Amino acid sequence: MSCDFLHFPSHSLRPRVELTHSPPLFPGFLPMDATTPNSQGRPFSIKLWPPSENTRKMLVGRMTNNLSSPTIFTRKYRSLSKEDAAKNAEQIEDAAFTVANQDYEKKPDGDGSFAVQLYAKECSKLILEILKKIPKSEDKEISISEAVPAVQETFFDISKGTRAFIEAEEAQELLKPLKEPGNSYSKICFSNRSFGIDGARIAGPILASLKDQLKEVDLSDFVAGRIEAEALDVMNMFSEALEGSNLKFLNLSDNALGEKGVRAFGKLLQSQTNLEELLLMNDGISKEAARAVSELVPSTEKLKVLQFHNNMTGDEGAVAIAEIVKRSPSLEDFRCSSTRVGSEGGSALCEALGMCSHLKKLDLRDNMFGPEAALVLSKALNKHENLTEVYLSYLNLKDEGAIAISNALKDSAPSLSVLEMAGNDITAEAAPVIASCIAAKKLLSKLSLGENELKDDGAIQIAKALQGHSHLIEVDMNTNAIRRAGARVLAQTVLNKDGFKLLNVDANFISEEGVDELKEIFKKSPEMILSLEDNDPEGEDDDSEEEEEKESGDEGKDGEDELESKLKNLDVKQDESLDAPDSN
């Protein structure tokens, strides 16, 4: 009897699991909710693996029914009791998931469709194994362990224990599983434990014996509290032990490396030619340390993830990092946030990013790029069709930079789902261009424009741009000098969107009447709007004297009338009780 997996229909992204020569054991199984092409015919980006927890539970339920219900197999095999079927179904699903997940981690297949097929095929096979071993005439029960070969652990992790120093005796006991003959550990995580020299002397030979099978190594935060000389010795010992390994993932974050620490890991870094992910966050990466990284990492052609966060890299260090980026044509995820990079270093980084056509996630937050670097970045973004997440908050972009970047993103990144440009001194003058960009991004799920100066006019334009966005989950427009009118339109825009979770309009200038209005709008779902505890009903703009004059005279009244006329032209559904003109 074959358990071959039918090919998925080409017209659908919703695969079904079936047996070729017998009725399906779990018909209608969907690995996870998949999307369909949009109105323009362009399919949404999906990821079939891993399946969601709900999908896994649903599959267990279906297998329980198949194992406990009469089927065509009852002519030869008996079915199980409901209790035994449920127990075996859980074990089958867990074993099949482990096999498929291990295969996916060894050779990722894009959207995960092959892993889904393997997962389903393993479930089918194991169900039949169970049924075959339970003849109808016998009453004995079968354990899943008799049908399913034991799946060996591949991930060794000591980070979940109590944060503490590790010396020789504890290292011997803690690392004992790594010494077992024939173990299959390919991933290790030593984070959150501090190794001294004696502990490193125990760990070193063990790691050296495993280095041919290791693929992922996490040594983040593993020398905390040690004096510099001891920490450097430990780093050298681990580096020598792992030299020549063929890693795909290496995390050296949270170790206060500096240049000395980077060079202590020199033997390990220089021996890596197939590295796909390198994390150096919160490591004291100065300009000298950045140069050392650029010098010691010999090949980055396969590098997909490169992350520098919370370092003191500066402009000169950013130039060194830019050299690594230039050598990384496969880069998909780049983070260089909170690294004290200014305009010169930012321009170098942004120019280098233009060579990374596969980029999906870009995080440059909390630097001082300024408009000049933003213009360079806008030219690079024109080449990035695969971008899904862009984090550009607190970069001192100003209107000029925000406009350039928005224009670039409008014509690229069709699958953009996250856009953050908070804290950039963006005013309402840039709002039309930003709104035009947002309107084009129909897959947008999260938008953050907080801590700018968009005011009501800008907020209303952004709200209008978001009207047709069905994937929207979160909008942050805090601290933008928004008053009642702008807040109301934002609220009404997001209120009825399926799946929407949070609107943040706190720390604005919304009148008390406006606050009451927002509470009324969200009375059935108050969790959808963030607390307004920092809102200032009496708030004044920076140009307070001029604004006071306008608001106290006819000019202020004319401005409000003009704003109200704009509101009336917006296609936003309003409650009848809220249709009265706004005088605040």
Side-chain angles (χ1 to χ4, degrees):
M1 182 175 295
S2 171
C3 289
D4 293 337
F5 198 79
L6 285 181
H7 291 297
F8 296 161
S10 60
H11 64 277
S12 174
L13 293 173
R14 299 178 68 88
R16 302 176 69 88
V17 178
E18 299 178 0
L19 295 177
T20 305
H21 303 299
S22 61
L25 291 174
F26 35 101
F29 161 59
L30 305 178
M32 65 183 292
D33 291 337
T35 56
T36 56
N38 61 18
S39 59
Q40 284 75 39
R42 184 171 60 234
F44 297 149
S45 175
I46 63 169
K47 195 76 172 177
L48 298 175
W49 192 263
S52 68
E53 285 300 315
N54 285 338
T55 296
R56 295 181 65 180
K57 289 178 182 178
M58 178 270 290
L59 180 56
V60 169
R62 289 185 181 277
M63 289 192 294
T64 298
N65 289 333
N66 282 302
L67 286 167
S68 60
S69 304
T71 68
I72 64 169
F73 300 111
T74 54
R75 290 194 291 262
K76 187 174 182 180
Y77 310 116
R78 73 175 176 88
S79 56
L80 298 176
S81 68
K82 200 74 173 179
E83 182 180 349
D84 290 338
K87 178 180 178 182
N88 281 304
E90 288 182 2
Q91 293 175 316
I92 287 171
E93 189 282 329
D94 185 66
F97 177 83
T98 302
V99 169
N101 198 50
Q102 288 180 3
D103 184 82
Y104 180 75
E105 290 179 349
K106 290 179 182 177
K107 44 184 179 183
D109 60 307
D111 64 358
S113 57
F114 182 80
V116 170
Q117 294 181 36
L118 181 59
Y119 178 43
K121 190 172 183 179
E122 284 293 313
C123 286
S124 300
K125 181 182 74 175
L126 295 175
I127 287 177
L128 291 178
E129 288 295 328
I130 287 289
L131 293 173
K132 285 178 182 178
K133 292 192 176 185
I134 312 175
K136 185 177 181 181
S137 60
E138 293 186 7
D139 293 325
K140 82 165 191 172
E141 295 184 356
I142 184 75
S143 168
I144 188 66
S145 61
E146 297 179 47
V148 184
V151 179
Q152 290 186 305
E153 291 288 334
T154 61
F155 185 28
F156 182 78
D157 184 4
I158 63 172
S159 67
K160 307 304 180 187
T162 305
R163 184 179 176 87
F165 282 9
I166 302 296
E167 304 302 341
E169 185 176 348
E170 186 175 1
Q172 284 277 18
E173 183 63 27
L174 200 60
L175 305 183
K176 189 180 295 184
L178 295 177
K179 298 170 67 176
E180 294 178 0
N183 74 75
S184 297
Y185 291 111
S186 60
K187 310 176 191 176
I188 59 170
C189 178
F190 285 1
S191 182
N192 197 43
R193 300 296 186 95
S194 181
F195 281 81
I197 291 177
D198 291 339
R201 285 179 180 145
I202 299 299
I206 296 174
L207 292 177
S209 69
L210 296 173
K211 66 181 179 182
D212 289 339
Q213 68 190 56
L214 290 176
K215 297 300 178 185
E216 299 185 15
V217 171
D218 186 342
L219 298 179
S220 61
D221 193 23
F222 85 122
V223 288
R226 304 290 180 176
I227 62 173
E228 181 183 283
E230 182 179 24
L232 291 173
D233 284 342
V234 171
M235 292 176 191
N236 270 301
M237 293 167 73
F238 273 74
S239 177
E240 290 178 1
L242 293 168
E243 182 183 8
S245 56
N246 187 21
L247 302 181
K248 290 186 176 181
F249 172 91
L250 179 60
N251 187 357
L252 300 178
S253 302
D254 301 304
N255 285 311
L257 295 177
E259 182 186 8
K260 292 179 181 178
V262 170
R263 295 198 179 280
F265 277 111
K267 291 183 178 180
L268 170 59
L269 292 171
Q270 285 181 315
S271 66
Q272 300 308 305
T273 57
N274 292 307
L275 202 59
E276 294 181 4
E277 299 184 45
L278 177 61
L279 278 59
L280 293 166
M281 299 185 287
N282 193 31
D283 266 335
I285 302 295
S286 60
K287 60 183 180 182
E288 294 84 4
R291 289 169 185 157
V293 174
S294 182
E295 170 192 330
L296 293 171
V297 179
S299 173
T300 55
E301 289 186 3
K302 296 183 179 181
L303 198 64
K304 295 181 179 179
V305 178
L306 179 61
Q307 297 193 355
F308 295 85
H309 167 69
N310 196 30
N311 286 301
M312 50 187 196
T313 310
D315 280 349
E316 293 183 53
V319 172
I321 294 172
E323 292 302 314
I324 305 175
V325 173
K326 289 178 182 178
R327 304 196 302 264
S328 307
S330 301
L331 202 61
E332 297 178 359
D333 181 342
F334 179 65
R335 183 179 188 184
C336 192
S337 52
S338 302
T339 47
R340 307 183 188 181
V341 177
S343 180
E344 181 182 351
S347 296
L349 280 175
C350 294
E351 183 178 357
L353 287 168
M355 303 180 184
C356 306
S357 59
H358 299 286
L359 203 62
K360 297 178 180 178
K361 182 177 179 180
L362 177 62
D363 187 347
L364 300 172
R365 285 174 287 189
D366 192 23
N367 286 297
M368 290 299 293
F369 280 19
E372 291 183 8
L375 292 175
V376 179
L377 178 59
S378 68
K379 295 177 182 178
L381 291 177
N382 281 321
K383 305 173 184 177
H384 293 93
E385 292 295 316
N386 300 313
L387 272 174
T388 59
E389 300 178 36
V390 176
Y391 302 89
L392 303 176
S393 297
Y394 310 107
L395 289 177
N396 193 34
L397 298 179
K398 307 290 187 181
D399 283 348
E400 182 182 359
I403 289 172
I405 288 171
S406 297
N407 277 326
L409 287 175
K410 179 184 176 181
D411 298 326
S412 61
S415 299
L416 191 68
S417 64
V418 178
L419 176 60
E420 291 194 9
M421 288 199 295
N424 277 303
D425 294 328
I426 303 171
T427 74
E429 291 184 16
V433 178
I434 297 174
S436 180
C437 171
I438 292 170
K441 305 304 164 189
K442 298 301 183 182
L443 297 181
L444 198 66
S445 63
K446 182 178 179 181
L447 174 66
S448 176
L449 289 169
E451 299 183 52
N452 284 302
E453 301 171 23
L454 290 168
K455 301 185 179 180
D456 274 359
D457 196 21
I460 291 169
Q461 293 182 70
I462 299 301
K464 184 177 181 180
L466 291 170
Q467 286 182 12
H469 289 54
S470 59
H471 294 264
L472 202 62
I473 294 174
E474 182 177 334
V475 173
D476 187 349
M477 293 285 287
N478 82 86
T479 322
N480 263 291
I482 297 171
R483 297 182 182 274
R484 180 180 180 183
R488 181 178 65 197
V489 177
L490 283 167
Q492 292 168 338
T493 298
V494 303
L495 178 62
N496 296 316
K497 290 185 181 295
D498 292 338
F500 188 82
K501 294 182 179 179
L502 188 65
L503 171 67
N504 183 4
V505 288
D506 196 16
N508 281 300
F509 301 158
I510 307 168
S511 66
E512 293 180 1
E513 293 83 357
V515 170
D516 291 338
E517 194 172 39
L518 291 177
K519 290 179 180 179
E520 177 66 20
I521 291 173
F522 289 103
K523 64 181 178 181
K524 294 182 180 179
S525 49
E527 75 283 355
M528 285 175 58
I529 185 166
L530 196 68
S531 166
L532 294 170
E533 59 184 15
D534 292 326
N535 178 63
D536 181 7
E538 306 298 327
E540 299 293 344
D541 302 341
D542 291 338
D543 305 327
S544 56
E545 294 183 2
E546 181 181 348
E547 292 296 322
E548 283 177 3
E549 291 176 2
K550 289 184 178 181
E551 290 178 5
S552 62
D554 292 336
E555 292 182 21
K557 183 63 169 60
D558 292 341
E560 289 181 358
D561 290 342
E562 181 182 352
L563 185 58
E564 284 299 328
S565 69
K566 290 182 180 180
L567 291 179
K568 291 176 182 177
N569 291 329
L570 290 178
D571 183 20
V572 179
K573 293 182 179 179
Q574 303 185 27
D575 293 340
E576 292 181 1
S577 61
L578 303 179
D579 284 340
D582 177 23
S583 59
N584 292 286

